[in-house]
Structure formats: C-alpha cells, structure tokens
Amino acid sequence: MKNLITLYINGSPFQVPTGITVAAALAHCGVLHTRRSVSGESRSPLCGMGICQECRVTINQSPHQLACQTECADQMQIQTGVPA
Ligand code: FES
C-alpha cells in the first residue's frame, strides 16, 4: 500500500502517492494545463526534464516553479493557469 499525501491544486484537495513530481501529480489528478502563455494559450508539460519551461506553476505562493523538477510535499499548494 502506497503512502498518500494531500495537495491543494487551485484550492481543491487531492491525494497523491508520495515521491512523485508535481507534474505527475497534476496528470494523476486530471489537471492537464500548467500555465498560460502571454497570448493566453494553455500550456502543458512537454519535456519532463527541466528544459522546456512549459510546466511552470505557482507552488506555495512561489511563482515559476518547474512542476517536472519538484517533488510533492504534504499540504503543498499548487496554482495553475497563471500567465507566465
Ligand atoms: S516539462 Fe519541460 S521543464 Fe518541466
């Protein structure tokens, strides 16, 4: 049995397995878009290895964090859809 932690994605609680990245947690929870481009287009993780910058989200009120390079922590607050 996997240990679960609680995240808040755009204010809603979700439980995810420990040890996964924020990008994996977003996909696990059905949140497919991470940010918006300056022209308003929805963007999603692409490379999964810290290069493309498309996975940027706000984590615990800190903007522009790479979801694919950040491990989830219990009670983490994640906000998606922020223009960046
Ligand atoms: S998915 Fe490309 S930097 Fe995170």
Side-chain angles (χ1 to χ4, degrees):
M1 181 171 136
K2 294 179 181 175
N3 290 331
L4 298 176
I5 57 175
T6 300
L7 305 176
Y8 294 87
I9 303 173
N10 301 323
S12 297
F14 292 90
Q15 289 201 315
V16 301
T18 58
I20 65 173
T21 65
V22 170
L26 292 171
H28 179 81
C29 298
V31 179
L32 303 180
H33 301 292
T34 49
R35 67 180 189 92
R36 291 193 177 278
S37 70
V38 291
S39 59
E41 298 172 320
S42 292
R43 311 303 293 182
S44 300
L46 180 63
C47 72
M49 59 184 188
I51 304 298
C52 74
Q53 309 286 304
E54 297 290 8
C55 66
R56 286 178 287 161
V57 294
T58 298
I59 299 175
N60 296 335
Q61 301 184 351
S62 181
H64 309 297
Q65 302 301 303
L66 293 181
C68 72
Q69 300 297 301
T70 305
E71 185 173 331
C72 292
D74 193 38
Q75 304 299 309
M76 185 178 264
Q77 304 271 345
I78 302 163
Q79 185 176 4
T80 66
V82 178

